[in-house]
Amino acid sequence: MKLNDILNSYQIESLEQLATGKIQDIDHIKLPREVLVDELSNHLLKFYYIQKSLSLRNPPSYLILSKIIDEPDHKISVKGFKDAIKKNTEIFIKSATKGEGLRSKKDYSLYLKMLQVAWESDSSIDLSEYRLLMALRDELDISFKEHIILEHHESLTTYWFSENYYERERNHLIASGILHPLEGYFTIASEMIPIIRKTWGFSLTNEQYQRLLEQIPSHDLTEILKKNELSISGSAAEKSIRIIENYVSPRNALNNLSNDILRDAARKIGSQISGSKSDIIENIIDFIDSDEDLRRKEELEKKLAPPKPEEKVLGKEAFHQIFTPLSNEQLYSIASGLRKINKSGSKMNRIQSIWDSIYSENTLLNQLSSSELYDLCSKLNVKVSGSKQDKISRIVDNFSSYSPPEESDEIENDTASIISLSTQVDREKAKEKRSESIDGLKVKYPYLSSDELIILSFIIENKTASGPVIERLVARFDLPWYFPETQMNDMIKKMQENGQDIIVVQKYSDHPLYQLK
């Protein structure tokens, strides 16, 4: 079940409760239901958010999620679920204490000690501790499956095995928007499954991992199984399934292969074959993780046939009237989502490139999110109600007989327009509030531009901001930042040169992470 469908089944009060602490300004703005669902869905499906919410949660968090993920349609009856999880937890404790599922040649004592130290402070693991434990796991070659076994060891149960241990983790998962109680079932959104698996260190879905292992000869699959003390019998397909089911990570599997085998696998799927061994491994995983191998295969099958041209229904002047209110970032996003559209140049150049493209207005506007279309309708004085396609059709229809508006034209006087204007006022108030914060920063950081002060204000307020968050701020405030990472580096350099080195830059999941010192 899709996340939007799940969220749309909630009452508006439940949605607003779920959005608290997740969507900025939710306590001050009464968002329309469809906008709230869209923004909440976008937030819940961010990798950083899910990683922060699940970062080595206490048992039985993993058992709860894995049980539901393995079910058809990723849902399971609430009835009897609690008893089943508690029973499985007790089994895990017994088998972990006996060392079942652990490799005989490994010394797990150091990792057990580090888990104990992490839990001793407040019986939980924060994000920084999670990263340290991830690094230690990589160094000791401890898989996520082994971690799950070790956290159930009887020497650690004193930190999490309480009377309400099941309710604690269940409630956390529900409050985080990861687990949803729905019509007598617990369910997880289908789009969230691959992100959860990636958070656990399974960087590929089972289907993607299977495609990767299909590129590896059977005798090399045997070596991967030997390395992980698993049975080596069976066909290549059976070996692949055994590797996946025993949670051997893709990086662990590929690291056992020679450079020649890795380059051959990379060549087959179409990823880069140059660089060090670690570079080739990362290229392969990133390529398959983004399903580029499937897209490449599809393109080869079609022999790179150009898309079929679509007919536009509007004249050039009307077309420009629709797309001019969009930000440069939104125009770039439209061009990026479709083939054969030039993405470079000024705002007017991008509008011209979109006009010159082979795509219809419907296809082009469909690249925008529901909330972006809501804002566009407001700016164009078009009714904002209805589905995403309703908004697109209404925009195109309203401009099909476009003529320049006269000064006496009035905004359509209906409920939808009034709501649109009201929410627009609220949004302007939010901007004014941000502006007041920036005025205070101007005194302390007079050498920074107004654009830089907006970004700095957010980082100071939230203590941290990732690359994707910065990009969203740029789009939200329509900042002329076309290369956010480069411009962030320029801003940080200026602050350092002025003796105000307050931001540290780290790498996090292929994105920069800006943190307040």
Side-chain angles (χ1 to χ4, degrees):
M1 193 173 184
K2 295 290 187 181
L3 182 57
N4 271 25
D5 295 332
I6 294 173
L7 295 177
N8 274 315
S9 71
Y10 285 170
Q11 297 292 329
I12 187 66
E13 294 81 11
S14 298
L15 282 174
E16 289 174 344
Q17 288 174 359
L18 192 58
T20 301
K22 301 178 182 67
I23 297 178
Q24 192 173 9
D25 298 329
I26 189 62
D27 294 331
H28 310 291
I29 299 177
K30 189 77 171 178
L31 293 176
R33 180 187 183 87
E34 59 189 285
V35 177
L36 180 58
V37 168
D38 188 61
E39 290 206 11
L40 188 55
S41 177
N42 287 337
H43 181 84
L44 295 179
L45 292 176
K46 298 293 185 185
F47 173 75
Y48 175 79
Y49 172 74
I50 293 182
Q51 184 184 54
K52 184 179 179 181
S53 300
L54 296 185
S55 56
L56 292 182
R57 288 291 305 179
N58 295 350
S61 180
Y62 168 77
L63 290 180
I64 292 173
L65 295 177
S66 61
K67 181 74 173 174
I68 299 172
I69 286 173
D70 291 339
E71 290 291 316
D73 299 325
H74 314 305
K75 69 176 186 178
I76 194 168
S77 175
V78 171
K79 186 177 181 180
F81 183 66
K82 173 181 175 180
D83 292 338
I85 292 298
K86 297 187 81 169
K87 183 177 179 180
N88 285 346
T89 301
E90 292 171 4
I91 293 173
F92 255 84
I93 293 173
K94 291 178 181 178
S95 61
T97 304
K98 293 178 182 177
E100 296 176 5
L102 300 176
R103 301 180 215 174
S104 58
K105 297 179 181 178
K106 283 192 179 181
D107 181 6
Y108 297 98
S109 58
L110 176 59
Y111 191 71
L112 273 171
K113 180 63 178 176
M114 292 302 293
L115 273 176
Q116 180 178 349
V117 170
W119 267 333
E120 276 178 345
S121 58
D122 58 359
S123 298
S124 64
I125 297 173
D126 61 28
L127 197 55
S128 61
E129 291 169 332
Y130 165 77
R131 291 170 184 158
L132 290 173
L133 286 167
M134 284 283 286
L136 181 59
R137 273 172 45 196
D138 289 341
E139 186 68 25
L140 299 177
D141 189 24
I142 292 177
S143 68
F144 182 74
K145 181 189 176 184
E146 290 170 302
H147 161 79
I148 293 300
I149 295 172
L150 291 171
E151 71 176 358
H152 285 81
H153 193 278
E154 64 178 1
S155 64
L156 296 177
T157 54
T158 183
Y159 299 108
W160 60 266
F161 193 77
S162 59
E163 183 178 352
N164 65 338
Y165 73 95
Y166 165 79
E167 289 82 1
R168 180 193 63 232
E169 293 304 308
R170 179 203 62 193
N171 293 346
H172 168 79
L173 294 172
I174 292 174
S176 299
I178 295 171
L179 180 64
H180 299 273
L182 194 64
E183 298 178 351
Y185 288 87
F186 285 134
T187 187
I188 301 174
S190 56
E191 313 100 299
M192 202 170 278
I193 306 300
I195 309 176
I196 292 173
R197 293 182 60 83
K198 188 173 182 179
T199 297
W200 286 340
F202 311 151
S203 49
L204 304 176
T205 66
N206 285 353
E207 182 182 347
Q208 291 170 330
Y209 201 177
Q210 184 66 50
R211 297 202 307 264
L212 168 57
L213 295 176
E214 286 173 359
Q215 315 305 321
I216 300 173
S218 181
H219 63 272
D220 289 293
L221 294 176
T222 299
E223 292 304 312
I224 294 172
L225 291 168
K226 284 182 180 178
K227 175 72 174 178
N228 290 277
E229 300 181 21
L230 299 171
S231 171
I232 62 174
S233 62
S235 64
E238 290 170 331
K239 293 174 184 177
S240 296
I241 292 172
R242 194 173 302 124
I243 290 170
I244 294 171
E245 289 181 344
N246 283 275
Y247 304 102
V248 178
S249 73
R251 287 179 179 80
N252 179 304
L254 295 179
N255 202 47
N256 290 297
L257 306 178
S258 68
N259 283 355
D260 289 339
I261 295 297
L262 286 173
R263 289 194 179 95
D264 187 50
R267 194 176 291 109
K268 288 178 183 177
I269 64 172
S271 70
Q272 286 187 337
I273 61 173
S274 59
S276 65
K277 183 174 184 176
S278 61
D279 290 336
I280 299 173
I281 290 174
E282 289 303 317
N283 289 338
I284 291 173
I285 291 176
D286 289 344
F287 201 79
I288 293 183
D289 183 38
S290 59
D291 289 330
E292 284 295 328
D293 59 318
L294 293 181
R295 281 188 278 272
R296 179 176 179 271
K297 182 179 180 181
E298 183 181 350
E299 287 179 353
L300 289 175
E301 289 174 351
K302 293 181 179 180
K303 296 182 180 179
L304 300 177
K308 185 178 179 180
E310 301 172 354
E311 184 178 355
K312 291 184 175 69
V313 300
L314 299 178
K316 186 174 182 179
E317 187 175 356
F319 185 93
H320 275 251
Q321 287 296 319
I322 290 177
F323 287 87
T324 296
L326 297 176
S327 68
N328 214 341
E329 187 72 13
Q330 289 171 320
L331 294 170
Y332 180 89
S333 179
I334 291 174
S336 298
L338 298 167
R339 296 172 57 194
K340 298 183 179 297
I341 300 182
N342 184 13
K343 298 185 286 292
S344 61
S346 65
K347 180 174 180 177
M348 293 310 298
N349 287 338
R350 286 181 178 172
I351 294 176
Q352 184 63 41
S353 296
I354 292 173
W355 164 256
D356 292 335
S357 74
I358 61 173
Y359 301 101
S360 67
E361 296 88 344
N362 187 83
T363 300
L364 293 165
L365 290 171
N366 199 48
Q367 300 303 305
L368 299 173
S369 68
S370 181
S371 60
E372 289 174 322
L373 285 169
Y374 181 95
D375 289 338
L376 181 59
C377 285
S378 298
K379 293 175 181 177
L380 296 174
N381 295 328
V382 172
K383 287 181 65 175
V384 300
S385 60
S387 66
K388 184 175 180 180
Q389 188 55 53
D390 289 338
K391 295 185 185 72
I392 293 174
S393 298
R394 198 178 295 122
I395 290 172
V396 175
D397 290 343
N398 280 24
F399 282 81
S400 58
S401 57
Y402 171 80
S403 59
E406 299 178 3
E407 290 184 5
S408 60
D409 283 352
E410 296 182 355
I411 296 174
E412 186 176 1
N413 184 26
D414 62 3
T415 303
S417 296
I418 294 172
I419 293 174
S420 171
L421 289 172
S422 300
T423 55
Q424 185 174 355
V425 169
D426 285 341
R427 289 195 297 272
E428 291 301 321
K429 286 182 179 178
K431 287 186 178 180
E432 289 174 8
K433 183 178 179 182
R434 176 72 61 187
S435 182
E436 290 173 3
S437 173
I438 291 169
D439 288 340
L441 292 176
K442 282 181 181 178
V443 178
K444 191 171 182 180
Y445 306 95
Y447 51 87
L448 294 182
S449 66
S450 58
D451 300 336
E452 291 169 330
L453 289 171
I454 289 174
I455 301 298
L456 179 60
S457 170
F458 181 88
I459 294 174
I460 291 175
E461 181 180 339
N462 295 275
K463 310 302 181 187
T464 183
S466 64
V469 169
I470 296 297
E471 292 172 5
R472 186 171 179 178
L473 284 173
V474 168
R476 180 178 183 184
F477 292 99
D478 198 16
L479 306 180
W481 281 35
Y482 308 122
F483 304 98
E485 187 169 350
T486 300
Q487 286 166 282
M488 276 298 301
N489 290 337
D490 291 342
M491 183 183 85
I492 292 170
K493 185 178 179 181
K494 275 199 279 186
M495 296 177 72
Q496 291 172 340
E497 290 173 350
N498 283 271
Q500 294 176 306
D501 185 12
I502 65 169
I503 298 177
V504 62
V505 185
Q506 299 179 352
K507 273 291 180 182
Y508 178 69
S509 184
D510 300 328
H511 294 297
L513 182 67
Y514 306 99
Q515 292 183 310
L516 207 61
K517 288 186 176 179

